[in-house]
């Protein structure tokens, strides 16, 4: 029987063709109909059993049943794109106005390659492999939606779960590993500052929500610098502020939108309270009113040590120890893989996509970034080896 590495090498050219097709035709969250049909077509051609989920229109799950009884490994990757116009100039560049600027086409193609390899090896597996092609990660609700639909209740149930994310910062051919917090939680902060509008020449007759918002924003910066322990990183950013229609008119209301990132659940919730308090009191000092809406988002992604240890061993087998990078610090970005790793031992590793070409190092969510197609085989080799080792 061929090894994982040999099977990956044999099937990689076809997987890269699938990656090109995916890259040309990116689809936004919950609109991945063509992507889902490509996945379905490929898995069916490999002879893999697809399991339907009621109410789930895009993305899918499938099961590879091993030749002997045993545990079940879950492998999850995301499939959606971003609302960006691609500017890479690649032959397989997007043709529809959206873009796989976060590498989800690499993720999807790599999981297809992993599936094909493990399907060939199924008689050697003591257990099963659940494949999860998840929609709508960029929206932040995809994992929640498929979990609510019962994906983790399907038999056989997963005993652990893995996945990877592309990383332009890491050299292609190398994988990055980190134990514990790997990605931050993310929450959406919406604040309406309500005052009393009027003529710009008579501000003393008004309650100015613009000046109140400006004062409030400066005070909110103390939430991280003075309310959160310095040894627990956090980020509070406001990216939108809307108010006013004319230079000489004081509006009645200003709307602000922001994001909170954290790596500690207790600190995260304390900062929610601080945001509400600081917003309310600073606006009250200006005679305005702050209406704060905090929408709880994705939790911190925690990588379990035992899963990382197994991923390290798998990567050592198929890539060599010299191609393993120990990530020094977690990312303040977020990923809803975190919801799966809350439910069972799990870990998301990173797969390098950077080369000597500076355009591969620009970074995620940039329409000019190029992701090396070599990452398709690298990610698949590690994931397939992990499953093969776990299900010995």
């Amino acid at each position: 029987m061929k090894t994982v590495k040999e099977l990956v090498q044999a099937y990689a050219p076809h997987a890269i063709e699938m990656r090109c097709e995916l890259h040309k035709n990116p689809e936004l969250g919950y609109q991945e109909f063509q992507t889902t049909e490509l996945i379905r077509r490929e898995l069916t051609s490999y002879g893999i059993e697809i399991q339907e989920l009621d109410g789930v229109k895009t993305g899918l799950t499938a099961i590879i049943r091993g030749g002997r009884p045993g545990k079940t490994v879950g492998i999850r990757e995301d499939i959606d794109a971003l609302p960006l116009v691609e500017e890479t100039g690649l032959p397989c560049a997007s043709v529809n106005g959206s873009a796989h600027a976060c590498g989800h086409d690499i993720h999807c193609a790599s999981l297809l390659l992993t599936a094909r390899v493990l399907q060939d090896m199924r008689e050697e597996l003591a257990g099963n492999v659940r494949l999860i092609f998840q929609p709508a990660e960029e929206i932040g609700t995809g994992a929640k939606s498929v979990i609510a639909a019962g994906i983790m209740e399907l038999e056989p149930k997963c005993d652990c779960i893995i996945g990877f994310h592309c990383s332009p910062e890491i050299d292609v051919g190398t994988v990055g590993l980190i134990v514990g917090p790997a990605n931050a939680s993310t929450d959406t902060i919406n604040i309406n500052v309500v005052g009393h509008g009027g003529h710009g020449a008579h501000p003393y007759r008004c309650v100015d929500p613009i000046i109140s918002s400006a004062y409030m924003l400066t005070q909110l910066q103390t939430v991280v610098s003075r309310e959160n322990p310095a040894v627990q990183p956090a980020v509070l950013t406001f990216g939108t502020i809307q108010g006013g229609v004319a230079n000489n008119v004081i509006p009645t209301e200003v709307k602000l939108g922001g994001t909170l990132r954290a790596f500690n659940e207790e600190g995260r919730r304390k900062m929610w309270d601080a945001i509400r308090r600081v917003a309310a009191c600073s606006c009250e000092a200006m005679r305005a009113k702050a209406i704060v809406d905090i929408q709880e988002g994705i939790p911190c992604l925690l990588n379990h040590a035992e899963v990382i240890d197994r991923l390290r061993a798998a990567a050592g087998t198929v890539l060599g120890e010299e191609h393993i990078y120990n990530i020094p610090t977690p990312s303040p970005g977020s990923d809803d893989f975190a919801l799966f790793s809350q439910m069972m031992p799990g870990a998301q590793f990173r797969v390098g996509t950077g080369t000597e070409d500076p355009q591969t190092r620009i970074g995620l969510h940039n329409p000019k970034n190029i992701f090396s197609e070599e990452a398709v085989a690298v990610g698949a080799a590690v994931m397939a080896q992990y499953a093969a080792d776990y299900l010995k």
Side-chain angles (χ1 to χ4, degrees):
M1 183 66 187
K2 291 183 177 180
T3 65
V4 165
K5 192 171 182 179
E6 290 169 337
L7 288 170
V8 167
Q9 290 173 341
Y11 295 143
H14 178 72
I16 289 172
E17 290 178 6
M18 292 301 97
R19 183 263 170 159
C20 187
E21 186 173 339
L22 291 162
H23 196 83
K24 280 185 177 179
N25 301 283
E27 295 174 298
L28 302 179
Y30 299 123
Q31 300 175 32
E32 312 98 328
F33 296 104
Q34 186 174 337
T35 302
T36 300
E37 285 310 305
L38 181 150
I39 297 166
R40 186 183 299 274
R41 181 190 76 211
E42 286 295 306
L43 295 180
T44 301
S45 73
Y46 307 157
I48 294 174
E49 175 189 345
I50 294 170
Q51 293 182 306
E52 303 295 342
L53 271 176
D54 291 340
V56 175
K57 296 181 179 179
T58 59
L60 57 77
T61 185
I63 194 76
I64 298 172
R65 301 183 189 274
R68 291 169 287 145
K71 294 185 176 182
T72 298
V73 174
I75 309 180
R76 169 270 192 190
E77 293 299 343
D78 38 22
I79 65 173
D80 59 322
L82 288 159
L84 300 173
V85 177
E86 183 170 345
E87 300 175 25
T88 63
L90 292 172
C92 64
S94 169
V95 296
N96 66 11
S98 299
H100 272 300
C102 201
H104 293 189
D105 55 326
I106 296 279
H107 302 173
C108 183
S110 189
L111 185 50
L112 286 172
L113 177 52
T114 303
R116 191 173 185 182
V117 169
L118 292 173
Q119 176 69 355
D120 272 16
M121 300 179 68
R122 64 189 181 280
E123 292 303 323
E124 299 179 35
L125 304 179
N128 316 286
V129 180
R130 175 163 303 286
L131 309 166
I132 300 172
F133 294 84
Q134 182 208 299
E137 187 277 331
E138 296 294 356
I139 298 174
T141 60
K144 184 177 181 180
S145 69
V146 297
I147 290 170
I151 197 168
M152 291 292 100
E153 301 305 315
L154 291 175
E155 295 291 345
K157 295 179 182 179
C158 295
D159 295 285
C160 66
I161 192 162
I162 61 168
F164 78 86
H165 201 292
C166 288
S167 179
E169 295 83 9
I170 299 175
D171 292 343
V172 69
T174 297
V175 297
L177 303 175
I178 184 171
V179 175
N183 290 81
S185 61
T186 177
D187 303 303
T188 299
I189 315 296
N190 292 306
I191 304 176
N192 287 6
V193 177
V194 181
H196 178 72
H199 200 296
H202 304 284
Y204 51 89
R205 296 176 180 170
C206 306
V207 176
D208 190 340
I210 288 182
I211 203 72
S212 300
S213 297
Y215 178 66
M216 178 190 71
L217 276 176
T218 62
Q219 303 311 304
L220 283 172
Q221 298 311 302
T222 66
V223 169
V224 171
S225 68
R226 292 296 179 269
E227 302 271 349
N228 185 66
V231 294
Q232 298 173 4
V235 177
L236 177 60
T237 296
F238 283 87
T240 66
I241 180 167
Q242 301 169 337
V245 294
N247 290 3
N248 63 343
V249 175
I250 292 174
T252 298
E253 185 177 24
V254 171
K255 297 181 178 181
L256 303 94
T259 182
L260 175 68
R261 310 294 173 109
F263 295 97
N264 176 276
E265 189 63 25
E266 181 182 0
R268 175 192 186 192
R269 295 179 183 276
K270 284 183 177 179
M271 284 187 285
W272 292 353
D273 293 337
I275 289 168
R276 293 187 180 100
R277 186 188 72 250
V278 171
C281 293
S282 58
C283 284
E284 184 181 359
M286 307 296 289
R287 295 183 294 123
K289 179 180 180 181
I291 302 170
V292 180
D293 175 33
I294 299 178
Q295 299 173 10
E296 182 176 355
I298 300 166
C300 175
L301 196 165
L302 295 172
N303 282 342
H304 294 245
E306 66 271 26
V307 181
I308 289 292
D309 287 345
R310 289 179 180 273
L311 283 168
R312 185 180 300 278
T317 299
V318 294
L319 304 177
E321 293 290 335
E322 68 276 17
H323 294 292
I324 300 174
Y325 171 63
N326 294 311
I327 300 170
T329 57
S331 167
S334 61
D335 194 298
D336 65 6
F337 179 89
L339 293 171
F340 294 107
S341 63
Q342 274 191 333
M343 303 174 73
M344 68 197 75
Q348 185 181 73
F349 62 104
R350 300 182 199 167
V351 172
T353 59
T355 70
E356 295 178 356
D357 181 355
Q359 203 169 342
T360 66
R361 305 284 187 169
I362 296 173
L364 302 176
H365 290 213
N366 188 297
K368 294 183 179 181
N369 191 80
I370 292 175
F371 297 85
S372 173
E373 64 185 17
E374 295 177 45
V376 172
V378 174
V382 175
M383 293 192 297
Q385 189 66 54
Y386 176 96
D389 291 344
Y390 189 86
L391 302 176
K392 280 183 178 178

